[in-house]
Amino acid sequence: MHDRVTDRGSQPLRVQRTLFDGQWLQIGYIAVRPLSSECGEVETSALHVLALPLAGVFAKHDGPRQQAIATPNHALLISARKPYRLSFPGRIGDRCLALRFTSAGLAHVMPQAMAGDGFDHTTFAPHTLLPPAVMLARSRLWRRFARGPVDTLEAEQLGIELLDATMRAARRRGNHRHGLGRAAPGASARRRRHVERTIEAIWTQPEHRWTLGALAEQASVSASHLAHVFRTEVGVSVYDYVVRSRLARALDAVLDSDSGLTEIALDAGFASHSHFTAKFRTLFGYTPAQLRRDTDGALARELRRIVTAREAVAA
């Protein structure tokens, strides 16, 4: 693996690493250290990209007032050859796994995603709240690559299974949105902006003792309105999303640091080790200590399980 470092004056410092380059799928790692929170230059990707943030936060802008916030709670789909710009709220930066694929590659992995000769974008949500099992699989896959060389067959299998599981979640979310019916375009755009402002506020300070009123003020709406539109757009309540955000931040530390679990709990905004452990186990099915012990042996089993799972999850 070789790092490619991009440092262009006022542009963010970006480290890019190719972890795997196969026939159907490329797996990459990107880390960005921004110099400002302003939008960067227009970018395009030659391939479709499924961005799976590991830490931090970034925003993808498809046009004026059209943005999606990407955090370790989410998967973000970037379509090939469609221009976009990135910004980094709070100048926090991010670390991200990137699954890159062509339409032909996706047809091999997930034939039901295709329409005619191309990728049917209309049935997939471009911005998806990840099921907890997929969050775990993403972080474990990164840890597997970070430990050292990975066998080509193992890398391809694990990457394809993660792509399949994430796209299944995106399709469920896309179908759910279609089932809600069509709102007036202006009203729908306003709702999304209110939600994105809330997510941005939470992720710039996930450890903060947020109240619904304080977040509603950030979004410039009433507390009752925010509670309704957030659940409709995201699929979980504001409170559950805040807890999820703290746990997603803690997940990175549990897997990739030697810090004590009490220290991780307090840094993530939990009142105690026991409160943190209970919430972590409820979401991920493991205690933090169990996850540290069992991560390497459980990776392949977890990926295979989530690919075939049919649980109804908020995506």
Side-chain angles (χ1 to χ4, degrees), residues 288-302:
Q290 287 171 335
L291 186 63
R292 275 186 166 173
R293 288 195 304 267
D294 195 38
T295 286
D296 298 330
L299 172 58
R301 295 195 305 273
E302 189 71 23

Side-chain angles (χ1 to χ4, degrees), residues 225-239:
H225 180 74
L226 177 62
H228 172 69
V229 301
F230 196 95
R231 184 182 286 276
T232 299
E233 291 290 321
V234 180
V236 298
S237 70
V238 176
Y239 170 75

Side-chain angles (χ1 to χ4, degrees), residues 218-269:
Q218 293 279 336
S220 302
V221 294
S222 70
S224 59
H225 180 74
L226 177 62
H228 172 69
V229 301
F230 196 95
R231 184 182 286 276
T232 299
E233 291 290 321
V234 180
V236 298
S237 70
V238 176
Y239 170 75
D240 287 341
Y241 188 85
V242 170
V243 173
R244 246 180 166 268
S245 300
R246 292 173 179 169
L247 291 172
R249 177 178 175 179
L251 177 62
D252 188 55
V254 169
L255 290 175
D256 292 329
S257 80
D258 296 324
S259 299
L261 295 179
T262 298
E263 179 184 351
I264 291 173
L266 297 178
D267 285 346

Side-chain angles (χ1 to χ4, degrees), residues 6 19 63 70 96 119 128 136 141 146 164 186 195 207 224 248 253 263 266 269 280 291 300 304 315:
T6 304
L19 304 173
C96 185
F119 174 27
T128 305
L136 273 178
L141 181 60
D164 180 75
V195 169
E207 75 286 353
S224 59
E263 179 184 351
L266 297 178
F280 197 97
L291 186 63
R304 291 188 181 92

Side-chain angles (χ1 to χ4, degrees), residues 13 29 44 46-47 52 88 96 130 150 152 158 169 209 223 230 272 278 288 291-292 297 302-303 310 312:
L13 177 65
Y29 169 80
T44 58
L47 302 177
L52 297 166
F88 299 89
C96 185
L130 289 174
V150 181
T152 298
L158 294 177
R209 297 296 180 188
F230 196 95
S272 66
L291 186 63
R292 275 186 166 173
E302 189 71 23
L303 280 167
R310 293 294 182 267

